[in-house]
Amino acid sequence: MAEASKTILPLGYVDEFVTEVERDLECSICHFPLKDPVLTRCGHRFCKECLEENFRWQEADEKPFTCPEDRGTLDRKQDVFPDKATERKILSFAIKCPSDGCEWTGELRNKETHLNNCLFKVIPCTNENCLEEVQRQQHKQHVTATCQWRILKCSYCSEPHPECQMQDHIRRCLKLPVTCPNSCGLKISREMIPSHIKEECLLAIVCCPYVQMGCETKVERQAVESHLQSAVGIHLGLTVVKLNEANENLGRTQSKLDETETKLSTTNSQLLETKKKTDDLKKEVETLQKQFKEKAVKDQENAMKEQIVMGKSESPGFSSVYIWKIDEFSKLMREAEANEEMVVDSASFYTENHGYKLKVMIYAFFDRQAEHVLPGDIFVMKGQYDAILPWPFNRKIKFTIMNQQEDLDERDNIIAVFIPDSDRKCYARPKNEENIGHGERLFISQTQLESRRYVVDDTLFTQVEVDSPRNLRFGKLSN
């Protein structure tokens, strides 16, 4: 046992066959010296990872966990224990460094510490893209001095590039000094060559300054002055020709400008005239819109007036009821006093569905003795159903000025009932919009109106009731 503990093991003993190791210190699964040894309940030792891998296979095959040595059933959590004693024994084995040139020997437990500092261990270069590996003691020299992927700065533009790509960069570097392609003798950076040839190079071929005048001569920049002195006459002739052409063009341009001004003036006049017409049309449209709105309002009012008013009368023998609300009654009386009379029309109404079209007119007279009085007339109007109605109109009519007393038992309405005279033309079928009015005069003074609640909140209510054909009765006026 003591002799075996002195055995020198290779540093990578887990991956290589090792001799002279006690049998019970080898894993029966991988047959190498135990690494992180564990002991089963049945007394067998295995590498921890080897046994776990065996359990994973059994679990994948849905088999029970068993010992790889004797196939005895094991509980994965309770029947496997770390074998620290065996681990300490294995870690005490003496090993030597596998790196070429390194003479270090020591216990297995110190392997990682030594390898992290071993100068002879081969490690990869840390420069990007470099795949070489060198001994640790040569690593710094390789990274900074010999590696083809070490980063260098271009001596012309100072851009960083790997050493293996530096020559390609220099061949393209815009800051690299190059000889002028015209062989003028100057060296300038590659990026300045176009500017040098265009503006400075004395050997560059340039056009004569009088090229716009028609001189097509091209000479080296250094010979321009000599050309100008020798070609003064030619340049003067070309200038005169160009000047004459310019004067002719100027004259034509001036003529076109005058024509354009004339057209512009005409256009302005037409524009003003169009604007005036547009304003006139706008006013006409506004007027038509106003008239249309007024007509629409009037038509709406007429439509509202020509409503068919149907109701259930509280009076026996009457079927059609029309309630007329007169607002601002005091104003009506003041106007009657000022003008000695005032006429107010109700909206038109029909006696019943497909019935006679009627309206009521109240006359407000001012009498010095009787004060204000309210007589009323009935007007027969041309309606939509006249062709199917019996004529003349002879329905009994009940005209009521309504008392607005809250207590119904205390209301004392003013009532007039009359039957139209069939001999009167005012009750014949209307030929015009309406017949002349007729009715029994009901004289009511303002004193009477104010004595009871006939006018409340400056509002007077009147009611017109017309009997139905089957209930037609004839009678006399009653108060």
Side-chain angles (χ1 to χ4, degrees), residues 195-315:
S195 176
H196 166 72
I197 293 175
K198 182 178 179 180
E199 300 176 0
E200 301 174 357
C201 182
L202 297 178
L203 299 182
I205 304 300
V206 297
C207 294
C208 172
Y210 284 84
V211 63
Q212 294 183 348
M213 298 299 171
C215 182
E216 299 179 353
T217 302
K218 294 183 178 181
V219 295
E220 294 179 351
R221 181 174 280 111
Q222 63 184 357
V224 169
E225 289 298 328
S226 175
H227 167 71
L228 292 176
Q229 292 178 4
S230 62
V232 171
I234 297 174
H235 291 161
L236 182 58
L238 292 173
T239 302
V240 171
V241 172
K242 187 63 68 173
L243 180 60
N244 291 335
E245 292 177 355
N247 287 335
E248 292 177 1
N249 291 335
L250 181 61
R252 287 193 293 268
T253 301
Q254 184 64 45
S255 299
K256 291 181 179 180
L257 180 60
D258 294 340
E259 292 177 2
T260 302
E261 289 180 349
T262 302
K263 291 180 180 179
L264 180 60
S265 177
T266 303
T267 301
N268 287 336
S269 300
Q270 293 174 349
L271 182 61
L272 292 174
E273 184 177 352
T274 302
K275 185 177 182 303
K276 183 176 181 302
K277 291 180 179 179
T278 302
D279 293 340
D280 293 342
L281 287 174
K282 184 177 179 182
K283 291 180 181 178
E284 291 181 8
V285 170
E286 291 176 350
T287 302
L288 290 174
Q289 287 177 341
K290 182 178 180 182
Q291 293 175 353
F292 177 77
K293 289 181 181 179
E294 291 175 351
K295 185 176 182 304
V297 172
K298 186 175 181 181
D299 291 344
Q300 186 177 8
E301 291 176 350
N302 291 336
M304 292 178 64
K305 287 182 179 180
E306 292 186 359
Q307 55 185 328
I308 298 176
V309 182
M310 295 296 294
K312 184 178 179 182
S313 174
E314 296 179 357
S315 303

Side-chain angles (χ1 to χ4, degrees), residues 302 305-308 348-359 379-391 393 426-435:
N302 291 336
K305 287 182 179 180
E306 292 186 359
Q307 55 185 328
I308 298 176
S348 60
F349 63 95
Y350 285 88
T351 57
E352 65 271 316
N353 286 335
H354 309 104
Y356 297 95
K357 184 178 180 181
L358 306 175
K359 78 171 181 178
F379 287 78
V380 179
M381 306 180 70
K382 181 182 291 187
Q384 300 180 34
Y385 314 107
D386 292 351
I388 62 174
L389 297 174
W391 296 96
F393 175 78
C426 57
Y427 296 112
R429 180 176 176 178
K431 295 181 180 180
N432 299 317
E433 188 65 27
E434 62 183 38
N435 292 341

Side-chain angles (χ1 to χ4, degrees), residues 5 24 67 109 114 163 173 188 205 214 226 231 236 249 284 314 346 356 381 388 397 405 418 422:
S5 64
D24 61 349
C67 174
R109 63 170 48 87
H114 168 72
E163 191 274 338
C173 182
I188 52 178
I205 304 300
S226 175
L236 182 58
N249 291 335
E284 291 181 8
E314 296 179 357
S346 73
Y356 297 95
M381 306 180 70
I388 62 174
I397 297 174
Q405 182 69 31
F418 66 92
S422 59

